[in-house]
Amino acid sequence: MALVTPDNSGLRLFTRYAVLVLVAVIFIFPLLFMAMSSLKPDQQLLADTNSLRAFLPVGDLSFNNYTDAFARAPIGVFVFNSVVITGVTVVLTLFVCSLAAFSFVFLDWKGRDVVFSILLATLIVPYETIFIPLLLMASQLPWIGAEGLEIGWLNTYRVQIIPFIADGLSIFLFVQYFKDLPRELIEASRVEGASWWTIYRKVVMPLSGPVIATAAILKFLFMYNQYLWPLMVVQAEEIRPVMIGLGYFTDQLNVPWGEVMAYLTIITVPVLAFYLSLQRVFIASVASTGVKG
Amino acid sequence: MKVGVTIAALFATGLAGSVSAQTELSLWYHGAGSANAEEALVNQLVEEFNANQSDWKVVIETFPQLAYNDAVGAAALAGELPDILDVDGPVMPNWAWANYMQPLGIDEAKLEGYLPGPIGRWNGEVYSVGLWDAAVALSTRRSTLEKYGIRVPTLDAPWSLDEFNGALEAIAASGDFEYPLDLGMAWKGEWYPYAFSPFLQSFGGDIVDRSTYQSAEGALNGDEAIAFGEWWQGLFENGHVPGTSQDAADRETGLLDGKYAMSWNGNWAALPVVEAFGDDALFLPAPDFGNGSKIGAASWQFGISATSEHPEGARAFIEFALQDRWFAAFSDGTGLIPSTASAAADTVNYAPGGPLEVFYGLSEAQALVRPVTPGYIVQAKVFEKALSDIANGADVADTLDAAVDEINEDIDSNGGYGH
């Protein structure tokens, strides 16, 4: 039996931290490259890619790329749109999918298992394969708005939100998590006369922080990175999301790399902020469910 | 009394409204985010058209070029196309064939005197017209050619294949430059068929057999095409040109920095060469590899969507745009070549004696539009991959045979593309 002495425990700790620092550095390098490159003129940016200078704030640094990027594209509009579209979708997804999962786990209804199996089967269908029929449907759907009955959802916020609210993965995550909650809590609540709605609201959801964080982060990333769907359904500049905005920085032949890096840095901020705000619960969820982000 | 006055006022307002009401026409344009003056000029064109007549009001929606063609495809599927479309010349036949567009219906007499590139024809009808074109030339310095005893070619007497190869070898042997020639390999996509397929055509081959547009057999893998492919591969093997991993920054400034002796580049990049080299700057015609000198043609053009409910309005807008003053304004703003000689005379760069006058001559004498077929959008990608592979050492005959097979399969699977 090996003895843990103060000496080798310190060495282990050092080794562990060294490995962690190395991994952290590897993961942070792309972000560092992006942020540093956003401060450099194109010529220097490209020249620096041959050395470690690419990751360092050296050379001719300025915020010119940011100024030029804002002059080239309505970045504020794109970020606002993406934050609104993503935020609303995440909130509605958490509500709708957790309710669906609650029904699958705690309510007893005919055909439940079959419906759940069908739902699971949808997990293997990539969104891209259904985009064309979805586009045709969206172009014919009715909507009652401020101007009365309208036909067609194209060129709206709702066409970027509603098709993505309910999804199999989020429901599956909630189902798996709800299954591990102590049944006694639910049964005790029922004995006390609580309604299913009350149990959902006051018992189940308050205990579901980790899965809420996981589902929220996964949905946030999916929605924030949407490109193909908004490309197909949105024509008006004022409701375009950030990924479409990236196209403003390329033409047939030339790419202003400094501006691209500035734009990417700007649009990465909401993602980082959202992830960092949920980091603790997300990691707890990963540790308990084995779900990778 | 009050009621009577109100009704009269409402009636008058309604009448005035109906008199001044303009029917809205939507226009989609590909240049969102473009750093040059093109977008501002398109907006100015729209504003002037709207102000100059009372029937139509064009409303413009701009898209990033990267997303534009896909957005049009999706809109066509959903029945949401605009009235007026901006379309890249070589893509137009595909959109016409796919029923995204309808013939322009303008009097072709109005298009007399135009360069060949800005007029988009499909199945014998004009579907699109552009306000400008672009041309490619060999940019270099007179002093460089003189130093190595190389003849200065002209439009009437361009370099032959042997002369061109000799020039490259002489420059390479001097060791004065990293490479004798920059082909722009840092650029991808449409640059390949636009800039390099004219070399193939000058050798006597082509991307597809233009007599039928039903096959690439013989055109892309015949003796002439193989001769082209071997010459192309030799450029890279002999170290005469940078490879496919060329640094984008070198492409931008390599000629000016003295890394390259010559650069195969467009008129849009010519002014910095004039500024840097002054009278020493030369823009040379494409070499004649046996079947005449060729350069690419056709740029962005305006057309009318197939679903437009107001084609007469869309036509009115396009006809308004087809004026020399707009050609000249766009040319002065963007550096592109105006569609007519009369407009060129009014420009800063292309007027007689202007710094880029030579490009108008090149466009007029050497321009060849890319294959006019709906299958071009697939053929362009196949051609790009084949040239890239050959540049990186792939077997020439096998690569071209594979490209022919891929193109022919695509033509077959699309029922011959309506030719």
Side-chain angles (χ1 to χ4, degrees):
Chain A
M1 188 174 155
L3 289 175
V4 177
T5 66
D7 280 351
N8 68 17
S9 90
L11 187 65
R12 276 187 201 173
L13 202 61
F14 175 80
T15 310
R16 182 182 297 172
Y17 274 101
V19 170
L20 289 174
V21 166
L22 185 68
V23 171
V25 164
I26 290 170
F27 275 86
I28 211 166
F29 259 27
L31 290 175
L32 206 57
F33 171 75
M34 179 179 75
M36 293 303 115
S37 298
S38 72
L39 302 171
K40 300 174 183 176
D42 278 5
Q43 292 274 18
Q44 189 194 331
L45 186 163
L46 293 167
D48 283 357
T49 53
N50 294 325
S51 68
L52 279 177
R53 289 172 61 89
F55 304 101
L56 300 173
V58 292
D60 181 14
L61 303 181
S62 75
F63 286 100
N64 289 347
N65 288 327
Y66 287 86
T67 315
D68 293 345
F70 274 101
R72 185 185 288 268
I75 297 175
V77 173
F78 298 155
V79 173
F80 173 81
N81 289 337
S82 275
V83 168
V84 167
I85 291 162
T86 304
V88 171
T89 312
V90 167
V91 170
L92 292 176
T93 294
L94 294 178
F95 180 62
V96 169
C97 293
S98 63
L99 270 181
F102 183 88
S103 157
F104 281 122
V105 175
F106 300 115
L107 305 186
D108 198 14
W109 45 279
K110 204 174 176 183
R112 184 183 63 174
D113 293 342
V114 175
V115 173
F116 188 63
S117 300
I118 294 171
L119 195 80
L120 283 183
T122 66
L123 290 181
I124 61 167
V125 181
Y127 268 112
E128 287 76 8
T129 61
I130 59 166
F131 272 175
I132 288 181
L134 207 56
L135 168 69
L136 294 175
M137 281 173 61
S139 67
Q140 299 299 325
L141 284 173
W143 182 263
I144 298 174
E147 294 173 7
L149 180 68
E150 305 163 21
I151 299 296
W153 286 19
L154 302 188
N155 239 355
T156 59
Y157 280 120
R158 64 178 175 274
V159 76
Q160 300 182 72
I161 294 173
I162 293 175
F164 304 99
I165 291 173
D167 77 272
L169 178 62
S170 299
I171 294 173
F172 175 72
L173 289 175
F174 277 109
V175 164
Q176 292 305 103
Y177 191 86
F178 289 170
K179 277 181 178 172
D180 290 338
L181 290 177
R183 282 273 166 179
E184 297 78 9
L185 281 175
I186 313 299
E187 284 158 12
S189 304
R190 289 296 289 168
V191 169
E192 293 292 328
S195 67
W196 286 116
W197 172 242
T198 304
I199 293 171
Y200 165 79
R201 202 162 46 93
K202 294 195 169 170
V203 179
V204 173
M205 291 311 279
L207 290 171
S208 303
V211 71
I212 290 173
T214 305
I217 287 175
L218 293 178
K219 179 61 87 172
F220 186 97
L221 291 177
F222 176 79
M223 291 303 296
Y224 199 77
N225 290 330
Q226 284 261 32
Y227 176 75
L228 186 57
W229 182 247
L231 174 70
M232 293 167 72
V233 298
V234 170
Q235 288 109 34
E237 185 175 70
E238 58 269 22
I239 55 171
R240 282 179 195 153
V242 289
M243 289 305 158
I244 301 293
L246 194 52
Y248 282 57
F249 296 88
T250 61
D251 60 20
Q252 268 184 321
L253 303 174
N254 298 308
V255 179
W257 289 110
E259 289 180 45
V260 169
M261 293 300 165
Y263 183 70
L264 292 175
T265 305
I266 293 165
I267 69 173
T268 302
V269 170
V271 182
L272 281 179
F274 186 73
Y275 180 79
L276 291 176
S277 68
L278 295 178
Q279 187 187 18
R280 281 184 181 278
V281 262
F282 180 67
I283 290 171
S285 167
V286 171
S288 62
T289 64
V291 173
K292 281 204 305 179
Chain B
M1 178 67 184
K2 262 187 180 177
V3 173
V5 170
T6 308
I7 290 171
L10 284 172
F11 182 73
T13 310
L15 201 64
S18 68
V19 167
S20 62
Q22 290 175 303
T23 303
E24 245 181 45
L25 300 169
S26 48
L27 160 65
W28 286 7
Y29 166 68
H30 75 278
S34 59
N36 59 37
E38 189 178 309
E39 188 178 358
L41 282 162
V42 170
N43 283 322
Q44 189 188 333
L45 168 65
V46 167
E47 280 169 24
E48 283 204 26
F49 173 73
N50 291 345
N52 272 281
Q53 44 73 50
S54 55
D55 294 331
W56 313 104
K57 182 187 179 189
V58 172
V59 177
I60 187 168
E61 193 65 71
T62 59
F63 293 75
Q65 184 169 327
L66 191 70
Y68 182 71
N69 287 358
D70 292 330
V72 169
L77 200 63
E80 296 279 333
L81 283 173
D83 295 288
I84 305 161
L85 277 167
D86 184 26
V87 58
D88 196 9
V91 172
M92 181 279 295
N94 185 278
W95 289 8
W97 168 75
N99 284 328
Y100 296 1
M101 299 176 70
Q102 58 178 293
L104 271 186
I106 64 174
D107 181 2
E108 289 200 30
K110 292 178 182 173
L111 303 179
E112 275 179 22
Y114 276 54
L115 290 170
I119 302 174
R121 292 181 198 276
W122 164 244
N123 270 354
E125 293 192 89
V126 176
Y127 274 76
S128 55
V129 181
L131 279 58
W132 61 81
D133 202 354
V136 179
L138 280 165
S139 306
T140 187
R141 307 177 69 160
R142 184 180 295 277
S143 56
T144 301
L145 299 190
E146 286 172 352
K147 182 177 177 184
Y148 304 107
I150 301 167
R151 179 178 72 87
V152 176
T154 62
L155 262 181
D156 295 330
W159 281 331
S160 65
L161 175 62
D162 289 341
E163 274 185 294
F164 186 41
N165 286 339
L168 294 177
E169 279 158 19
I171 296 168
S174 75
D176 292 342
F177 299 90
E178 284 185 22
Y179 295 96
L181 173 65
D182 157 40
L183 287 170
M185 300 305 286
W187 291 347
K188 311 294 177 200
E190 193 57 28
W191 176 246
Y192 272 64
Y194 173 68
F196 306 143
S197 70
F199 294 156
L200 166 66
Q201 288 141 5
S202 183
F203 265 90
D206 209 333
I207 296 176
V208 65
D209 179 356
R210 295 194 193 212
S211 65
T212 63
Y213 284 111
Q214 295 303 298
S215 172
E217 191 68 43
L220 189 52
N221 62 352
D223 291 344
E224 296 84 359
I226 289 173
F228 157 75
E230 286 170 350
W231 169 78
W232 174 258
Q233 194 165 59
L235 290 175
F236 299 89
E237 286 178 350
N238 297 328
H240 288 167
V241 297
T244 51
S245 57
Q246 182 192 26
D247 192 323
D250 285 346
R251 169 55 171 167
E252 292 298 313
T253 61
L255 177 72
L256 306 182
D257 296 342
K259 289 184 175 179
Y260 312 131
M262 293 185 279
S263 179
W264 183 238
N265 211 334
N267 59 293
W268 57 85
L271 279 177
V273 178
V274 174
E275 284 162 17
F277 300 150
D279 290 343
D280 200 24
L282 278 180
F283 301 105
L284 308 176
D288 179 353
F289 296 116
N291 283 270
S293 297
K294 315 278 186 201
I295 58 170
S299 188
W300 287 83
Q301 302 164 357
F302 287 123
I304 305 173
S305 82
T307 53
S308 173
E309 292 176 2
H310 306 290
E312 67 280 17
R315 195 175 304 118
F317 170 76
I318 293 170
E319 286 184 335
F320 181 79
L322 300 182
Q323 298 181 54
D324 276 358
R325 68 185 181 96
W326 288 114
F327 299 163
F330 274 88
S331 177
D332 286 343
T334 65
L336 290 161
I337 303 171
S339 293
T340 62
S342 48
D346 294 335
T347 64
V348 175
N349 296 318
Y350 298 94
L356 305 182
E357 182 193 6
V358 62
F359 281 97
Y360 191 90
L362 290 172
S363 205
E364 200 172 28
Q366 300 187 337
L368 176 65
V369 292
R370 282 152 279 181
V372 186
T373 173
Y376 173 77
I377 57 172
V378 172
Q379 292 157 17
K381 288 184 169 55
V382 175
F383 181 76
E384 180 191 1
K385 184 176 181 306
L387 256 62
S388 180
D389 288 348
I390 292 171
N392 287 308
D395 182 82
V396 172
D398 289 350
T399 305
L400 293 178
D401 280 342
V404 166
D405 290 345
E406 198 174 340
I407 288 172
N408 288 355
E409 278 170 26
D410 177 66
I411 292 171
D412 287 344
S413 63
N414 284 282
Y417 279 118
H419 286 284

